[in-house]
């Protein structure tokens, strides 16, 4: 047994953790929306990643997590974290700060499995089955139903084209990081890998903040709450819950949980910030989730 493996969970914990994980993961986009009035998004993500790397690193040392012995073992998760954490989340925060609704940002992020499945063939030599190809097509159709009706609209539910472009670029980075992780292997101690990924994210976010971040950082209660939530709940607790679920052996079930993140984020965005979706967009979100589910099973 790995030194960092948690004890066997109780039935109650096993039942509650998946729902808690979805709720926590969904709040990541809400935190971005809530921090917009008070802090530069690049400064916010730099503080978040560096703090999470430190806290998870201390936890990893305390439980005896096994880090790779050489640079080759470190390189894979560092590069993956640079792309999947640093580029993806920094760009997502920038997009939301420029008016992209939280639910839409979550939907765009959920397209990553579709892009990964599309590129796995040409980049990794994996065969794309007809079922997976159909799922990819359906998923992108659903995303179009969500995005096109409000693209460029000037009302509260409008989708700014520039912010959407940044968000789509962030998902490309997330996809490339996922493919890199698949190519270099995702084995080893999962907690140690998470620490290295957040170090990679820090290596991306800090230079971005120093080069392009602004001085805006209002030291007010709502900002400290958003930053604390992003660090301790959304990142640290979210990662630990993710590892908990993975170690239960329910990998497919964990992947399915991510399909619930966009609608939960959209619901939270409506309750907290008044962000709305039309009936067509809600239907499109359901179609996109179905497409991703089919593609993942392909």
């Amino acid at each position: 047994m790995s030194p960092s493996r948690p004890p066997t969970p109780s039935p109650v914990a096993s039942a509650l953790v998946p729902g808690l994980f979805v709720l926590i993961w969904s709040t990541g986009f809400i935190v971005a929306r809530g921090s917009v009035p008070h802090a530069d998004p690049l400064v916010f993500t730099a503080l978040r990643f560096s703090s999470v790397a430190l806290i998870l690193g201390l936890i990893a040392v305390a439980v005896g997590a096994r880090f790779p012995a050489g640079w080759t073992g470190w390189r894979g998760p560092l590069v993956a974290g640079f792309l999947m954490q640093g580029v993806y989340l920094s760009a997502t925060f920038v997009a939301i700060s420029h008016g992209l609704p939280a639910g839409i940002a979550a939907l765009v992020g959920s397209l990553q499995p579709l892009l990964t499945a599309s590129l796995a063939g040409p980049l990794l030599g994996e065969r794309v089955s007809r079922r997976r190809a159909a799922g990819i097509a359906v998923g992108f159709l659903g995303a179009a139903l969500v995005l096109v009706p409000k693209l460029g609209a000037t009302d509260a539910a409008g989708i700014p084209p520039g912010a959407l472009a940044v968000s789509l670029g962030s998902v490309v980075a997330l996809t490339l990081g996922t493919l890199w992780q698949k190519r270099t292997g995702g084995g080893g101690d999962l907690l140690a890998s998470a620490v290295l990924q957040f170090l990679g994210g820090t290596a991306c976010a800090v230079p971005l903040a120093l080069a392009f971040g602004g001085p805006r950082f209002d030291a007010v209660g709502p900002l400290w709450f958003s930053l604390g939530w992003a660090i301790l709940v959304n990142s640290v607790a979210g990662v630990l819950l993710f590892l908990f679920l993975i170690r239960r052996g329910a990998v497919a079930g964990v992947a399915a949980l991510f399909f619930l993140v966009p609608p939960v984020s959209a619901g939270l965005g409506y309750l907290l910030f008044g962000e709305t979706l039309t009936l067509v967009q809600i239907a499109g979100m359901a179609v996109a989730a179905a497409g991703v589910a089919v593609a993942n099973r392909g």
Side-chain angles (χ1 to χ4, degrees):
M1 180 178 294
S2 169
S4 59
R5 185 181 298 274
T8 302
S10 68
V12 174
S14 297
L16 294 178
V17 166
L20 182 60
F21 171 76
V22 171
L23 181 61
I24 285 177
W25 214 257
S26 300
T27 62
F29 302 95
I30 302 303
V31 162
R33 178 70 171 77
S35 67
V36 164
H38 306 294
D40 180 272
L42 295 177
V43 173
F44 188 94
T45 53
L47 290 172
R48 173 183 177 175
F49 288 137
S50 56
S51 299
V52 174
L54 175 61
I55 294 171
L56 283 181
L58 293 174
I59 294 173
V61 171
V63 302
R66 294 177 300 192
F67 285 84
W71 165 247
T72 302
W74 282 58
R75 181 184 59 189
L78 284 174
V79 173
F82 187 95
L83 294 168
M84 297 168 65
Q85 300 286 350
V87 178
Y88 168 63
L89 281 179
S90 294
T92 297
F93 270 60
V94 168
I96 291 176
S97 74
H98 284 79
L100 190 69
I104 300 300
L107 171 75
V108 173
S110 74
L111 299 179
Q112 177 268 324
L114 302 181
L115 289 176
T116 301
S118 301
L119 297 176
L123 295 183
L124 300 180
E126 296 183 2
R127 187 180 69 86
V128 178
S129 66
R130 291 182 179 179
R131 180 175 180 174
R132 175 164 290 179
I136 292 170
V138 170
F140 283 126
L141 173 62
L145 290 174
V146 178
L147 300 175
V148 172
K150 287 296 184 177
L151 186 61
T154 56
D155 58 20
I159 300 175
L164 177 60
V166 172
S167 185
L168 290 171
S170 76
V171 179
V172 172
L174 179 62
T175 301
L176 293 175
T178 301
L179 291 171
W180 169 266
Q181 192 172 44
K182 291 181 68 174
R183 183 174 181 178
T184 57
D189 189 293
L190 294 176
L191 180 55
S193 178
V195 174
L196 295 177
Q197 285 199 20
F198 274 100
L199 284 174
T202 302
C204 171
V206 170
L208 281 178
L210 291 174
F212 303 108
R216 183 166 55 93
F217 192 90
D218 303 327
V220 295
L223 177 59
W224 290 120
F225 178 82
S226 295
L227 186 60
W229 185 278
I231 294 169
L232 298 175
V233 180
N234 188 241
S235 292
V236 174
V239 166
L240 294 178
L241 283 175
F242 180 76
L243 299 184
F244 174 91
L245 291 167
I246 289 292
R247 283 172 174 160
R248 287 176 56 202
V251 178
V254 174
L257 291 175
F258 285 102
F259 306 154
L260 301 175
V261 170
V264 172
S265 296
L268 291 173
Y270 171 74
L271 292 174
L272 296 175
F273 306 113
E275 298 179 352
T276 59
L277 295 174
T278 66
L279 289 177
V280 172
Q281 287 180 301
I282 294 172
M285 193 169 283
V287 171
V292 174
V294 172
N296 267 3
R297 295 176 183 174

